[in-house]
Amino acid sequence: MDRSSLATRPMSIQELIERASKFEWNPRINFKYWARAAETLHREGKAYLLDRNLPQAFIVLFRYSILVADHLRTHPEAKDPDNRRLARPLQHRLPDVLATLEDIKPEIRESYEQWTRLSSTRRDPARSGRLHAHTSSTSSATHHDVLDPALAWNYQSPTEILDIRDREHQDLAVDLAKKEMRRRRLAGSWGPDVSKYRDQGPPSADDTDLRRQMELARRQLDQSQSYGGGSSYDDDVVTPTNYSYPSIRRSSPARHEPIPAPLSVPQGPRPLPPRPPKGPPLVAPLSPKKPPPRPQKEPLASYNNATEYTPDLETAPARPPKTLDEPKRVTFAPNRYLENGEPLRPVFLPRDLRHSFLKKASRNTERGLEMCGLLCGVLINNALFINHLLIPDQKCTANTCDTESEEDIWKFCDDKDVIIIGWIHTHPTQTCFLSSRDQHTQSGYQAMLNESVAIVCAPRYEPSWGAFRLTNPPGLGEILRCSDPAVFHEHECKNPYVEALQPAGHVYEADLDFQVEDIRKQKGY
């Protein structure tokens, strides 16, 4: 399989901080949606750490720290007892998230510095520094230069970046996801080892903002002890004992994962014998059950076909030796973008999921009542795969449906180790479209997860179903700023949402297995 030419330059720590900080906090969105967003960010960070996609992991975990430490406590619904219970585990997890951000900085910094050194040695530094981004000819963002940290060049662990537009690559994405989901089921809970990033060295100038943010969060923790000390949360509220939320564990990596690369690699086109250690080893010793690493026989080949990012052999650093059981790393590049140029990761939707949902909703549909479900799934190789349809407790009317018992939803996501990728609901008496109420609901999902999808099923009309996302801009921004209290009202923008299914959108139907989980206390209304 040929390496693609979709890699972008690595981003500096400061650039990653700026990207992570770029989101619109809006207290008009219900607290439960922001809490869900924080939970999703944490699970995304775990997934990217497992894939060793450290720049993207840094962005989502730093964004988590901002959302939890700075914003949730100021939400007007923060004093509600149920919301205090939702916020408590998010806050308790914050120290581990901050520690992980510090842990992964050295390798991110090293990749950026390596790229900078290589760029300075080329004949045309300006050309090598030019952003190389992939955009589809049919994308609405072809006029944008997109720097995607999920596709960043990394000399320590080169990755095959594949174009998801290729049907073979779509099939490969599904096959790899099935294999990984099966592995996770057999292995039980999983978590990446971040302790290997401990040797950080002296702080650099671009760490200032991160350290200031982290110190602020630490002071808040010291003063409040779970959002006390003048915050919106009471100290006497404890997390329910029937479940707990995972933290990013410092457990040993699974044996099939690649041995982490050293933070500094000797340069040169020829293989070098191992040097005597100057201090504590940067890489954990190999298990006696594992074969020893083979020596590197030739210098690192071209990382991809993009001349801007193919280092000269004379200056390319040698790749660390691979172990026999190191899997090939693959990342799938987006081929759709938001209207503001941000990339949309591909979402794979089980082909039969909506039929299963309509069977569950049939009793409500006969009564003319709406019903909703949550689309839950996993992040693998920079693509999202829906593998669970969750039917939560909800309040249903002829024109609305609202989820309830948020803690049960969180427990389910915790037990299955999934994130909420979107939602599905019926229009038993209306056509297939997103009402103004639906648009406000979708804004809660899409505020932190651009790829969130809203599926509408209108069994009495044609088309009988559709998948949608809000435009951004103008749709998401206008709806977040809307304060109209009426259930149904008009929005000024003419195109608040668009089709999300292929070929126009980022959602692919696929032959994926999925489970239907009905956790309603009452199965009918």
Side-chain angles (χ1 to χ4, degrees):
M1 201 180 304
D2 295 334
R3 296 183 189 275
S4 69
S5 59
L6 308 180
T8 65
R9 72 164 176 84
M11 300 173 70
S12 68
I13 295 292
Q14 184 59 37
E15 288 176 313
L16 294 175
I17 290 173
E18 292 173 358
R19 179 71 63 88
S21 304
K22 190 179 179 181
F23 69 92
E24 184 175 351
W25 161 255
N26 192 312
R28 293 194 186 99
I29 296 178
N30 289 343
F31 186 96
K32 69 178 181 181
Y33 291 117
W34 283 119
R36 279 187 199 172
E39 181 70 14
T40 295
L41 288 172
H42 183 258
R43 294 186 185 279
E44 281 188 275
K46 285 205 313 180
Y48 279 121
L49 286 172
L50 189 67
D51 286 344
R52 286 189 57 78
N53 197 326
L54 302 188
Q56 192 70 17
F58 187 96
I59 285 178
V60 295
L61 292 178
F62 191 86
R63 187 169 289 175
Y64 174 96
S65 70
I66 297 174
L67 181 58
V68 174
D70 295 342
H71 293 310
L72 285 183
R73 60 195 291 118
T74 67
H75 196 282
E77 298 173 2
K79 293 183 179 181
D80 180 84
D82 290 339
N83 292 336
R84 291 201 300 268
R85 285 193 292 270
L86 292 178
R88 183 61 59 85
L90 299 175
Q91 181 269 333
H92 280 319
R93 192 187 293 138
L94 186 57
D96 276 348
V97 171
L98 297 177
T100 300
L101 288 170
E102 284 287 356
D103 289 338
I104 66 180
K105 281 193 305 181
E107 188 168 326
I108 295 173
R109 184 188 304 120
E110 180 66 16
S111 287
Y112 180 77
E113 292 174 352
Q114 279 283 350
W115 179 86
T116 302
R117 286 193 290 268
L118 292 174
S119 297
S120 65
T121 63
R122 297 190 61 84
R123 297 178 181 177
D124 187 358
R127 183 169 177 261
S128 69
R130 188 178 72 242
L131 174 65
H132 180 79
H134 169 68
T135 55
S136 167
S137 59
T138 60
S139 170
S140 61
T142 53
H143 61 288
H144 291 286
D145 284 332
V146 181
L147 188 61
D148 189 347
L151 310 181
W153 179 86
N154 187 339
Y155 84 99
Q156 292 179 314
S157 52
T159 303
E160 288 193 270
I161 304 175
L162 304 181
D163 189 344
I164 201 65
R165 292 177 300 176
D166 189 323
R167 180 55 189 266
E168 292 184 0
H169 292 167
Q170 296 171 27
D171 295 338
L172 175 63
V174 173
D175 290 341
L176 292 176
K178 288 179 179 178
K179 180 178 179 181
E180 176 63 13
M181 286 186 277
R182 183 165 54 250
R183 183 196 69 79
R184 293 181 188 181
R185 284 195 299 268
L186 294 175
S189 61
W190 54 267
D193 178 19
V194 297
S195 60
K196 56 192 171 224
Y197 304 109
R198 285 297 182 188
D199 189 4
Q200 298 176 27
S204 62
D206 61 1
D207 293 339
T208 304
D209 194 22
L210 170 60
R211 291 185 180 278
R212 183 166 56 250
Q213 289 276 357
M214 296 175 67
E215 184 60 30
L216 173 63
R218 288 194 180 100
R219 286 201 303 269
Q220 291 173 345
L221 289 173
D222 293 340
Q223 293 170 1
S224 64
Q225 292 293 326
S226 301
Y227 290 93
S231 74
S232 300
Y233 299 98
D234 294 338
D235 291 339
D236 59 352
V237 179
V238 296
T239 305
T241 58
N242 61 335
Y243 69 97
S244 60
Y245 296 96
S247 61
I248 298 178
R249 298 179 290 276
R250 291 175 172 78
S251 58
S252 299
R255 292 193 306 185
H256 65 277
E257 293 183 13
I259 298 297
L263 299 182
S264 179
V265 181
Q267 298 190 17
R270 63 187 185 282
L272 298 176
R275 296 180 297 179
K278 297 182 180 180
L282 296 179
V283 181
L286 294 173
S287 168
K289 295 183 180 180
K290 291 185 177 180
R294 295 179 295 182
Q296 185 75 13
K297 295 183 179 180
E298 57 185 46
L300 177 65
S302 298
Y303 175 68
N304 52 49
N305 295 329
T307 55
E308 292 90 342
Y309 295 95
T310 306
D312 295 329
L313 292 179
E314 297 180 356
T315 60
R319 186 182 181 184
K322 293 177 64 175
T323 60
L324 293 177
D325 58 353
E326 180 180 354
K328 182 181 294 184
R329 296 186 64 242
V330 171
T331 290
F332 293 96
N335 75 312
R336 291 292 179 267
Y337 297 82
L338 290 176
E339 290 72 17
N340 63 11
E342 293 185 19
L344 287 170
R345 295 166 293 188
V347 173
F348 288 85
L349 170 71
R351 204 177 304 276
D352 296 329
L353 184 142
R354 71 180 185 278
H355 301 300
S356 297
F357 173 67
L358 285 173
K359 290 180 181 178
K360 280 286 183 181
S362 59
R363 186 173 177 183
N364 275 20
T365 301
E366 292 172 358
R367 300 176 179 181
L369 300 176
E370 288 194 5
M371 180 171 163
C372 69
L374 301 180
L375 307 175
C376 304
V378 292
L379 172 63
I380 299 173
N381 298 326
N382 203 44
L384 295 157
F385 299 85
I386 296 169
N387 61 2
H388 284 85
L389 168 61
L390 175 63
I391 311 297
D393 272 333
Q394 54 195 276
K395 182 178 180 180
C396 303
T397 71
N399 297 307
T400 64
C401 52
D402 294 304
T403 60
E404 298 180 331
S405 302
E406 195 71 14
E407 292 173 3
D408 292 338
I409 296 174
W410 283 33
K411 182 181 185 303
F412 172 84
C413 292
D414 185 40
D415 291 342
K416 301 296 183 180
D417 208 358
V418 294
I419 63 177
I420 298 174
I421 301 174
W423 62 302
I424 182 172
H425 74 290
T426 55
H427 278 185
T429 61
Q430 301 182 71
T431 57
C432 181
F433 73 108
L434 285 185
S435 68
S436 59
R437 174 66 176 266
D438 296 339
Q439 293 170 34
H440 278 272
T441 299
Q442 174 64 11
S443 70
Y445 289 89
Q446 205 171 313
M448 278 293 189
L449 189 68
N450 290 332
E451 295 80 8
S452 292
V453 58
I455 297 178
V456 181
C457 297
R460 298 182 182 179
Y461 296 89
E462 286 294 335
S464 62
W465 78 289
F468 309 101
R469 69 165 175 87
L470 298 177
T471 56
N472 185 17
L476 180 61
E478 177 169 331
I479 292 166
L480 289 178
R481 292 187 292 270
C482 176
S483 58
D484 193 327
V487 174
F488 299 107
H489 54 272
E490 294 293 330
H491 292 128
E492 292 183 2
C493 62
K494 297 181 180 179
N495 57 332
Y497 64 92
V498 293
E499 177 67 54
L501 278 173
Q502 279 287 303
H506 65 291
V507 178
Y508 298 79
E509 283 195 283
D511 295 323
L512 278 172
D513 295 332
F514 67 97
Q515 296 179 10
V516 180
E517 301 281 352
D518 191 341
I519 62 173
R520 291 177 295 171
K521 298 179 178 63
Q522 296 180 352
K523 303 304 182 185
Y525 294 92

